[in-house]
């Protein structure tokens, strides 16, 4: 199942820089592990914003929910999820 996910990150301004850097490092490793597993298929930075647009390929709504709640930055994010279906006009074999 494919999902389009937008994540807007709002790290509190009073969080110590060292703590923020540590959370971001753990987040990066978590994200890259899921990318290597093929579950986090795409990640794009939204130009000019501390936001990303991602495509997840997971087995269920529950799996996506678990992955998103496991993000180290999750407590500081607004997350928007859209479920995707294959478009009947698509010529791509790899988008379902
Ligand atoms: O930077 C972000 O967009 C937030 C988050 C998502 C993956 C990652 O490494 O950090």
């Amino acid at each position: 199942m494919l999902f389009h996910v937008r994540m807007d990150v709002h790290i509190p301004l009073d969080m110590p820089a060292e703590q923020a850097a540590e959370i971001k490092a753990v987040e990066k490793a978590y994200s890259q592990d899921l990318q290597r597993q093929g579950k986090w298929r795409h990640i794009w930075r939204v130009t000019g914003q501390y936001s990303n647009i991602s495509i997840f390929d997971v087995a269920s709504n529950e799996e996506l929910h678990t992955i998103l709640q496991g993000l180290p930055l999750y407590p500081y994010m607004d997350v928007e999820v859209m479920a995707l279906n294959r478009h009947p006009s698509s010529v791509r074999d790899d988008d379902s």
Side-chain angles (χ1 to χ4, degrees):
M1 299 172 71
L2 293 173
F3 293 90
H4 173 288
V5 179
R6 177 179 176 127
M7 304 176 205
D8 298 314
V9 185
H10 307 286
I11 294 178
L13 295 176
D14 61 355
M15 181 184 287
E18 201 171 279
Q19 184 184 350
E22 171 63 17
I23 295 172
K24 288 179 193 177
V26 178
E27 175 95 9
K28 183 174 182 174
Y30 181 88
S31 166
Q32 291 186 336
D33 179 50
L34 289 162
Q35 289 176 60
R36 291 189 184 100
Q37 291 179 49
K39 293 179 185 291
W40 195 328
R41 216 192 258 189
H42 294 277
I43 180 168
W44 298 94
R45 178 65 75 216
V46 180
T47 304
Q49 298 178 39
Y50 193 178
S51 304
N52 73 72
I53 298 291
S54 293
I55 301 294
F56 285 85
D57 187 355
V58 293
S60 64
N61 293 2
E62 289 75 16
E63 184 179 12
L64 180 66
H65 189 75
T66 299
I67 286 171
L68 294 176
Q69 284 207 313
L71 290 164
L73 283 171
Y74 183 79
Y76 313 108
M77 282 180 175
D78 291 325
V79 180
E80 182 187 80
V81 176
M82 282 185 277
L84 303 176
N85 290 326
R86 181 177 175 82
H87 194 286
S89 301
S90 176
V91 296
R92 297 178 61 96
D93 292 332
D94 66 346
D95 63 356
S96 59

